[in-house]
Amino acid sequence: VDLAHAARLGRCSARQAGAHAGVEGGKLAPLLGPRRTAMEVDEEVRSDGAALVYAVLCSSDPGLLGALVGALVAPEIHRLACGCRDLRSLLAAPGVGFLCPRLRPRTPFAFGAALTGCVATQLRSFRPAEDFDSLAFLPELAARLRNLTRLEEFGPILIDISSDVVIDTGAGALSGSALPGPITQGTSRFQGVPARTLLPALAEGFAHCRLLAELDLTVHCSDAPSAQLAAEVLLPAIGSCRSLRSLSLDLDATLPMGPLLVTGVARLLGRLATSGDSRLRRLSLGYFWWSEVSEETLSSIRDALAALANDGTGGLRGGLRELAVMYPQDQELGGLDAACAALQGACPTLEEVVVVDAWGEDGSGLSALRDFLCGCPRLRQADIVGELPADFDFGAFSGPVRAATAAAEDGNVVRFNSAEGWRRAAAHAVSVRDRRRHEKRAVEAEAEEARGSWIAD
């Protein structure tokens, strides 16, 4: 390092610095020891797990090499090289699994391999980089989820419960209670099973994830048996995750199956409410069929949300702070009206609300949304994003809300299609696709706001 500094100051050339360091033609020389040949040094360095660094140095400018070689022979660097070698062998040990508390697989193959190969008790966060088809990982997830007892962050996870998946019957990962019911007949080691047969194993797995705090889940469903099993087994089991603080749930189902899945959500929230110590503060509900849900189910959701905030003596102990309603599939059929009726139980504690494209083309449902927001005394910010009717009266909507909430003195309680509103919608989105679309809209809205500010100036 001193030689390099001298070269920079012009006291000697880079080549002279290299010569002083004992470097000639890119090879390590007597600086490393008077009785050690280059071959011996080469063998020792490679055995210490520094082959890559050594190759780079041997092809470097002699001046650069001379500046670095003195530091490379220091005992601390030697110990670091040995430590890196040992650490790499430990992380990749086939008999143990790779030890990493935060995984972010970028391909479907990596998703399944990560679930199979990780040390389950060490995993804290599992955040896939894309929306992967559950065909690539569902058997592995069903087999391993019950072992992820220290998992805290999970998702986005997309589960198509109406599809078929292929399992390796010779691997032994799915057996006993992990794979209830008979599998498809066949002589091959790899056999197909309906995805719904794995739901009991998934439910058992979620019941073991007692530390799970954040879950982003999408459920695809198009047949009645799968929807019924999800509503009775899978979704209620998520309610066993008592540490759950943030739940983002998309129910991408056909019209007949949608109400069944919403019934499962009511059971999920009811189980969280009866646990007595629920920590749920953030809830996002996307792609629901609200209008076809029975009054009994809507009432169950309302009561469960109210119970989450009730301390048992009439006071408030917790409850939701953030709520998002995104892309109901029945905007023209009164979906937003039904959603507002079901979610009224969360009103006393709500502070932030995001609503994305939840109303009809003629604005149906917006009056119910206004009344819902007026019933939230702690509301500090509401973001309404999406295509609004051409004759929509912004003042008539936001005025009563501002007057009825605690943030009246703060000014603009309700924002329409703002850049910040689209960013918050992106933060609540379950799928990566929706998140990217919202972020793009945020950039466009920000440019529009900047243009409007420039014109005003």
Side-chain angles (χ1 to χ4, degrees):
V1 174
D2 292 336
L3 289 170
H5 182 61
R8 285 198 302 271
L9 294 177
R11 298 175 183 173
C12 64
S13 67
R15 186 170 298 277
Q16 288 172 333
H20 285 301
V23 178
E24 182 179 359
K27 294 183 180 295
L28 300 179
L31 180 68
L32 299 179
R35 298 183 180 179
R36 301 166 70 191
T37 66
M39 184 176 296
E40 292 171 337
V41 173
D42 178 81
E43 185 65 26
E44 180 176 340
V45 173
R46 290 179 185 275
S47 67
D48 288 341
L52 179 60
V53 176
Y54 179 67
V56 172
L57 290 176
C58 284
S59 61
S60 299
D61 176 83
L64 176 62
L65 187 57
L68 294 176
V69 69
L72 288 176
V73 297
E76 294 81 0
I77 300 299
H78 180 77
R79 288 196 297 269
L80 177 62
C82 294
C84 289
R85 179 192 59 192
D86 297 340
L87 180 60
R88 184 175 67 174
S89 63
L90 177 61
L91 290 175
V96 178
F98 48 87
L99 305 173
C100 183
R102 300 185 181 276
L103 299 179
R104 192 169 186 264
R106 298 181 180 275
T107 66
F109 175 79
F111 192 117
L115 285 172
T116 303
C118 71
V119 176
T121 55
Q122 193 196 43
L123 189 62
R124 301 292 187 273
S125 174
F126 197 93
R127 293 289 195 183
E130 299 290 341
D131 301 318
F132 299 127
D133 193 320
S134 58
L135 177 65
F137 63 83
L138 193 58
E140 290 83 357
L141 180 60
R144 292 283 282 173
L145 185 59
R146 69 189 311 273
N147 298 321
L148 306 180
T149 55
R150 296 185 178 276
L151 187 64
E152 298 174 2
E153 302 174 2
F154 197 32
I157 302 297
L158 186 153
I159 300 179
D160 187 350
I161 61 177
S162 296
S163 65
D164 292 336
V165 295
V166 177
I167 65 168
D168 183 355
T169 58
L174 289 172
S175 60
S177 62
L179 184 59
I183 63 175
T184 304
Q185 294 295 324
T187 59
S188 173
R189 170 178 172 177
F190 297 95
Q191 299 187 10
V193 299
R196 64 174 176 270
T197 61
L198 303 180
L199 295 186
L202 289 172
E204 181 185 0
F206 277 115
H208 283 78
C209 295
R210 297 300 180 88
L211 299 181
L212 186 62
E214 298 181 17
L215 175 63
D216 299 338
L217 175 66
T218 298
V219 177
H220 285 293
C221 182
S222 58
D223 67 286
S226 299
Q228 192 70 36
L229 193 59
E232 295 178 354
V233 178
L234 176 63
L235 292 172
I238 298 175
S240 301
C241 304
R242 298 184 178 181
S243 298
L244 203 61
R245 294 193 308 267
S246 174
L247 174 62
S248 297
L249 185 62
D250 282 359
L251 300 182
D252 189 6
T254 57
L255 176 57
M257 306 308 118
L260 283 175
L261 293 179
V262 177
T263 302
V265 175
R267 293 168 179 161
L268 184 164
L269 295 173
R271 185 170 294 187
L272 282 174
T274 56
S275 67
D277 57 351
S278 174
R279 303 173 185 178
L280 188 65
R281 299 294 180 266
R282 187 174 182 268
L283 179 63
S284 176
L285 305 175
Y287 297 94
F288 278 41
W289 287 96
W290 290 102
S291 60
E292 299 300 316
V293 178
S294 67
E295 287 296 329
E296 180 182 358
T297 299
L298 294 177
S299 178
S300 297
I301 294 176
R302 183 167 55 249
D303 295 342
L305 292 175
L308 286 172
N310 196 337
D311 62 0
T313 62
L316 300 178
R317 61 176 170 86
L320 292 182
R321 298 294 190 270
E322 300 180 43
L323 174 67
V325 178
M326 311 178 75
Y327 301 112
Q329 301 195 54
D330 48 3
Q331 299 101 319
E332 305 296 338
L333 303 176
L336 186 54
D337 297 85
C340 291
L343 300 173
Q344 281 182 351
C347 283
T349 58
L350 275 180
E351 297 177 358
E352 298 181 7
V353 175
V354 178
V355 182
V356 184
D357 276 333
W359 48 88
E361 290 187 6
D362 59 352
S364 58
L366 286 172
S367 59
L369 176 59
R370 180 194 59 206
D371 296 339
F372 173 81
L373 296 177
C374 288
C376 302
R378 297 186 179 183
L379 184 68
R380 309 206 63 82
Q381 190 66 64
D383 283 292
I384 316 298
V385 294
E387 191 67 29
L388 291 164
D391 59 349
F392 179 68
D393 190 337
F394 296 89
F397 185 99
S398 58
V401 177
R402 187 182 302 111
T405 61
E409 65 278 5
D410 296 339
N412 193 16
V413 180
V414 184
R415 298 182 297 199
F416 300 94
N417 290 316
S418 66
E420 186 60 30
W422 281 112
R423 289 192 186 93
R424 291 181 59 210
H428 280 278
V430 176
S431 72
V432 177
R433 180 195 61 223
D434 286 345
R435 196 173 304 154
R436 290 171 178 166
R437 186 168 71 247
H438 295 162
E439 290 171 350
K440 181 179 178 180
R441 294 292 299 272
V443 173
E444 295 172 352
E446 190 172 31
E448 187 65 26
E449 291 171 1
R451 190 180 302 112
S453 176
W454 178 80
I455 293 175
D457 293 341

